[in-house]
Amino acid sequence: MRFAPSPTGYLHIGGARTALFNWLFARHNKGKFILRIEDTDRSRSTEEFIEAIIEGMRWLGLDWDEGPFRQTERLDIYRGYVERLISEGKAYYCYCSQEELERKRKEAMAEGRPVKYDRRCLSLKEPVSGVSPVVRFKMPQYGQTIVDDLIRGKVVFDNEQLDDLIILRSDGTPTYNLTVVVDDVDMGITHVIRGDDHLNNTPKQIHIYRALNYEPPVFAHLPMILGPDRTRLSKRHGATSVLAYRDMGYLPDAVVNYLARLGWSHGDQEIFTRQELIEFFTFDNVGKAASVFNPEKLLWLNGQHIMNTPPERLAELVIPFLVREGIIKDEDEVDRGWLSRAIVTLRERSKTLLELARSLRYYIVEDVEYEEKAKGKFLTGDRADLLLELRHALSGVEPFTAQNIEAVFRSIIEKRGIKLGALAQPVRVAMTGGTASPGIFEVLEIVGKDKALRRLDRAIKVSSGQ
RNA sequence: GGUCCCAUCGUCUAGUGGCCUAGGACGUAGCCCUCUCAAGGCUAAGACACGGGUUCGAGUCCCGUUGGGACCGCCA
């Protein structure tokens, strides 16, 4: 198996899904997974995109066994094959100009005829001087070609439709349809798994395999992933690169899980570990219809994976976000054990690592910022006395644990005959600045006694209007 | 326009001729739990594109229609 992206863009959701299915199939069958960069389009391929694709693969955890190979390092190999095809009469030089070809193409489309090269250069005996030719592959013109696809079954094409495609450009570089065949042969690829936008190319490639005296591999064409408007997924539909999801605080396991479920299923199961995906993945359960990318479901799944991730691990993962958000200055500023305990309270309330980091702010910084609405509602003059009583009671609590803190709260509300909410909400504002947080007793414990008392003092001042 | 592919709730999907009064999940709404927010639990609304066949029986097989998509490059 191989994943063979062209570095003319970042690793986007669609490419990642193709890579994932190749990887899952390879791992499930204990086969080899090869990464190959198809960079023969020199005008559009860049080093930056190559790096980004590799980084994206690494982040997703799609490790490869061989490569990354680059086609631009193999140009001599392709040229050898082209020469062989020409000498065997299976390919020929073509001197037609691009302008003329373009004109004929438009004409054919306008008149509703199939677009096809007219083979005018096929019978040429002498080279045309002053023109550097391309090389065309001679396609059979009668009979049928059957693509036996793992997902679609047998797909039949009439050879009459097949166009003599260009395999070598006038600048001497090979084109995709040749390189893909040569490399897949050369690298011993047994299964070609790719997007179904390649299905129409497949019969042509099959003939190139045959011309080279090789047996074509097994094909599996995956359905496309569409945006919410049911057109092909693009930048307009959100993140362009999978790395954007990393930066938004998504877990690679969640993205992998989501992508796997786009077009594949295992009964009613929604949440999978990587191991489960490898174990369960087969093409029997891959669907044929295109699917729409649903960011809400990905977000939910990310939340589920966060809940299933050990707090110690989350602590490591969230630290870069804490730094990025300016909550801490460097990664050693915060105690990992304490951070893990803080994360336990926030784990089921965070759908992304970014959200988790932002919620951790009020545990870490010295002073919280009050939300205007929350302050107006809960830090009012009539609460000052209540908060003061709590402050004094709390100062004697030792150890400062949620359990002991709760006992203090219970005794105060019982004495005063008030509901817990009447006390908890103002304290919540004092501790977090807002009205939504984990349970107030745990919040106090995590904040710690000294800081909690300081925050209460400040809240009391604000309440009493000082 | 030509060729090819596809078609179950808004979305992802289960379904491989009788287990389907079409199941699950996201999202939406309501209720429960509750110190707030989540998480969790329960409930609700919500789909077999249409028309013909085949069959005792069709979401499932066949044909057509409609709709969507891909490709038709000296891009991959």
Side-chain angles (χ1 to χ4, degrees), chain A residues 72-116:
Chain A
T72 43
E73 289 162 359
R74 300 166 49 82
L75 295 177
D76 292 342
I77 299 174
Y78 308 123
R79 275 188 208 119
Y81 279 99
V82 172
E83 273 159 32
R84 187 174 134 195
L85 288 170
I86 293 172
S87 70
E88 289 174 0
K90 293 171 178 170
Y92 60 95
Y93 290 105
C94 170
Y95 297 85
C96 295
S97 75
Q98 288 190 54
E99 294 72 30
E100 193 183 348
L101 257 19
E102 181 62 24
R103 209 195 71 232
K104 283 186 178 166
R105 182 161 36 239
K106 284 195 175 132
E107 217 169 76
M109 279 220 201
E111 288 174 26
R113 286 180 286 116
V115 177
K116 208 171 142 185

Side-chain angles (χ1 to χ4, degrees), chain A residues 374 378-379 383 409 420-430 434-436 440:
Chain A
F378 293 110
L379 296 188
R383 317 262 185 172
F409 270 67
L420 180 55
L423 179 56
Q425 280 306 79
V427 176
R428 177 165 280 117
V429 177
T435 53
I440 192 63

